[in-house]
Amino acid sequence: MSILARPNRVSRFLGTLAAAGLIFSLAACGGAPSTAETSDANGTRVYQSEFGPVEIPEKIERIVSVDFYTPAALVDLGVYPVGVVNSYFTEGAAIPDQYKTAVKDNGAASIGEYYELNLEAVAQAKPDLIVATSDFLPLDDPLREELQKVAPILTFEARDGESWRTRSLALAEILDKKQVVQPLIDEYDKRHDEITAKYGDLLANKAYTVFVPVADQWGTYADTHFSTPILRDLGATFREQQADEVNEAKFPNWFSYEKLDRLSNADVIFNMSTEKEVLAALEKNTIWKNLPAVQNELVFDYIPLSPTGSFGWAAENLDDLEALLAQVQAKVEARN
């Protein structure tokens, strides 16, 4: 069963923003230097990022984000980027609708897709600051030199399992918006604790895997992958992966269906694919059909918005995971 979006999500999210005084005018994002910064008389400050010092403007009014996640973290702060990747303008991208609506309604321009940036569009947006993540704009990417001619680039980590949180908090600090993000942190923590109180034993006592099948291959997402952080944050036990299942970039390595027996140590499988041809191929595969999770009918569609980008986004993940865990709990109880 697929997880469907709850109709009251957008209204609840916007209500939280309004209650916290988060609805700001376009690009209202000036910030004071933080403890991680030093400033000078030239209107710039040095921010000590995790990839080294970056000289950024004292006053930041126009931000371009060249990655998939960061626009959501900015919108959480009431800050509207002037340029975002094209995923925010397309159907089907795993981004909550309110973030797509927010960037479009506040005049953001498309700067190409994260894997094929349009340098001219970035320049036309006239940013004071370009925000990136290390996966979508690696430190050795030749495009960096051209982008740095447009504006300084502030880069965040993306693949450590906590990056959605650390990136959101760092932006709140840089833009002097800590008081703005705090209500969202409080709401996330409250919902997190409610779900762990209800499903803590289920999460701890079953071994989970997030399974990514394609036409004739498969991989699994580790607990540090950007699609699994909220599941991990809830205390889920992940199946033990073999050493060759994750590469140096923290993405899955791929295996033939002949090696599906590796998943025999998973009690519950969360399936990322809804492709009919892929599902049909699995249903015909003897190894798949004999896996314990399949035999016990503990295979479920994974949440649809899993690449968490911000606290507001994470709150949606909590809603989806709560509904998913209710399905798992019901199936486990029915078999006992």
Side-chain angles (χ1 to χ4, degrees):
M1 180 183 297
S2 297
I3 306 300
L4 302 178
R6 287 178 173 78
N8 65 340
R9 278 189 179 153
V10 174
S11 59
R12 188 184 69 194
F13 179 86
L14 293 177
T16 302
L17 294 182
L22 305 187
I23 306 301
F24 290 87
S25 60
L26 173 63
C29 54
S34 73
T35 56
E37 303 170 2
T38 58
S39 59
D40 61 26
N42 297 319
T44 63
R45 46 185 161 149
V46 176
Y47 181 78
Q48 298 294 334
S49 81
E50 53 198 315
F51 295 104
V54 182
E55 187 173 329
I56 63 176
E58 284 278 9
K59 185 178 182 181
I60 301 171
E61 294 184 337
R62 299 178 66 83
I63 299 175
V64 164
S65 172
V66 299
D67 70 280
F68 188 87
Y69 326 97
T70 306
L74 292 171
V75 170
D76 276 359
L77 300 175
V79 173
Y80 302 105
V82 294
V84 298
V85 295
N86 201 54
S87 293
Y88 281 78
F89 299 92
T90 60
E91 295 290 333
I95 300 168
D97 287 341
Q98 65 263 24
Y99 294 116
K100 293 181 181 180
T101 299
V103 298
K104 287 186 286 189
D105 286 355
N106 285 279
S110 170
I111 48 102
E113 202 48 274
Y114 54 84
Y115 50 79
E116 192 174 9
L117 294 176
N118 183 331
L119 182 61
E120 183 178 356
V122 174
Q124 287 177 347
K126 299 180 180 180
D128 303 313
L129 180 68
I130 295 171
V131 181
T133 55
S134 58
D135 53 350
F136 292 137
L137 188 66
L139 299 182
D140 59 356
D141 192 320
L143 185 60
R144 275 184 171 268
E145 184 176 352
E146 296 302 314
L147 287 170
Q148 285 171 335
K149 295 176 183 177
V150 177
I153 304 172
L154 184 58
T155 305
F156 295 101
E157 180 57 81
R159 298 181 187 168
D160 65 0
E162 281 292 311
S163 57
W164 70 273
R165 194 193 316 264
T166 55
R167 182 171 57 248
S168 296
L169 295 176
L171 287 168
E173 180 182 15
I174 291 165
L175 300 173
D176 196 21
K177 301 289 186 182
K178 290 181 180 179
Q179 77 284 2
V180 172
V181 77
Q182 190 60 51
L184 294 178
I185 296 172
D186 294 343
E187 175 66 15
Y188 174 83
D189 289 345
K190 177 184 176 183
R191 292 283 296 114
H192 169 279
D193 292 347
E194 290 171 352
I195 294 170
T196 54
K198 188 173 183 179
Y199 295 111
D201 289 344
L202 180 69
L203 287 160
N205 296 328
K206 297 288 184 184
Y208 296 83
T209 193
V210 177
F211 175 58
V212 192
V214 292
D216 56 359
Q217 293 181 308
W218 64 274
T220 54
Y221 286 160
D223 62 350
T224 54
H225 191 271
F226 58 72
S227 283
T228 62
I230 309 307
L231 183 63
R232 185 189 75 163
D233 207 33
L234 289 171
T237 298
F238 284 73
R239 69 170 269 270
E240 185 175 350
Q241 293 180 302
Q242 296 183 36
D244 60 350
E245 289 185 29
V246 181
N247 60 34
E248 292 182 357
K250 300 182 181 179
F251 271 100
N253 284 324
W254 298 94
F255 301 92
S256 72
Y257 280 13
E258 294 176 356
K259 295 188 176 182
L260 280 167
D261 59 338
R262 287 178 178 232
L263 299 178
S264 60
N265 63 346
D267 298 314
V268 180
I269 295 175
F270 291 151
N271 186 2
M272 288 285 289
S273 178
T274 58
E275 295 290 331
K276 292 181 179 180
E277 292 183 1
V278 172
L279 299 179
L282 287 172
E283 289 173 1
K284 294 177 183 177
N285 186 282
T286 301
I287 301 174
W288 171 259
K289 290 190 290 186
N290 287 329
L291 290 174
V294 178
Q295 290 279 310
N296 293 326
E297 299 180 307
L298 292 176
V299 179
F300 306 87
D301 290 352
Y302 193 46
I303 62 174
L305 303 172
S306 58
T308 311
S310 69
F311 279 96
W313 193 330
E316 294 218 18
N317 292 159
L318 288 177
D319 283 349
D320 282 339
L321 284 168
E322 182 178 31
L324 177 54
L325 291 170
Q327 293 182 57
V328 177
Q329 183 73 58
K331 185 63 71 171
V332 169
E333 290 177 351
R335 297 191 65 84
N336 288 340

